[in-house]
Structure formats: structure tokens, C-alpha cells
Amino acid sequence: MPEYLLIITLLFFVSLAISCFIPPLFSSRLRALIYFASIFCVGFLFDWFSLWRGHWVYDEKFMVGWSLGGVPVEDYLFFLVIPYLCVVLYRWVSHVR
């Protein structure tokens, strides 16, 4: 069972639900694109290098089994969902104050 994918998907929907109750996260689509592209590139390079060097491995029984460039598909989602969740939670806490 792809548990990692299920957890990332759940966190994505949680962040979407919370984002309905806060002001917009970015002032423009270009800023959002720059934010996500930079996080994505850094995350990919870090993971690719760490996997290539053997610093860590992924247990296949928790993964879907697909990979692009040596990095599991779930990690690509992680690079996008977790930073988005962090920004949403930060804005939510700041907005509630």
C-alpha cells in the first residue's frame, strides 16, 4: 500500500481546507510560481544527490514504485505539498491572531 502517497494527499487536502479561511497566500501568480519552482528545484537536487550517494533509501513497500530521475514520484509531491502547507499554516496562525 502506498502509505507515503496517502499521507501526502491527506496533507494536501488539509492545506486546501485551511486555505479557504485565510487571505490569499501570494500577491500574484508569478510570485507563487517563483516560490514553488525554487522550492521544487532545491528539493529535487537535494533528494537526488542524497539518493545517488546512498545517504538514504525508500522502502518500496510504502511507495507507488514510480520514479523520475531516480527520485520517487511521492517526493515530487512532497516538494510541493509540504511547503504549501507550511505557508498556509503560517498565514492561518497570523490571520487568527
Side-chain angles (χ1 to χ4, degrees):
M1 175 180 235
E3 293 177 13
Y4 190 39
L5 181 63
L6 292 173
I7 292 169
I8 294 294
T9 304
L10 174 69
L11 290 174
F12 175 69
F13 285 116
V14 166
S15 60
L16 279 181
I18 294 171
S19 69
C20 294
F21 301 103
I22 60 174
L25 298 176
F26 301 99
S27 58
S28 70
R29 289 186 180 173
L30 179 60
R31 286 184 183 238
L33 179 67
I34 291 170
Y35 171 77
F36 285 112
S38 61
I39 295 291
F40 186 84
C41 289
V42 169
F44 170 77
L45 290 173
F46 179 79
D47 257 22
W48 176 83
F49 181 74
S50 299
L51 289 167
W52 176 69
R53 294 277 297 163
H55 294 298
W56 70 65
V57 295
Y58 292 99
D59 192 347
E60 292 297 322
K61 69 181 179 180
F62 299 114
M63 311 300 276
V64 173
W66 305 326
S67 64
L68 298 169
V71 177
V73 178
E74 290 90 347
D75 258 5
Y76 288 103
L77 294 174
F78 179 88
F79 304 149
L80 299 173
V81 171
I82 299 304
Y84 178 69
L85 177 62
C86 291
V87 171
V88 166
L89 290 176
Y90 176 77
R91 289 294 296 261
W92 184 43
V93 170
S94 299
H95 182 70
V96 170
R97 291 169 131 202

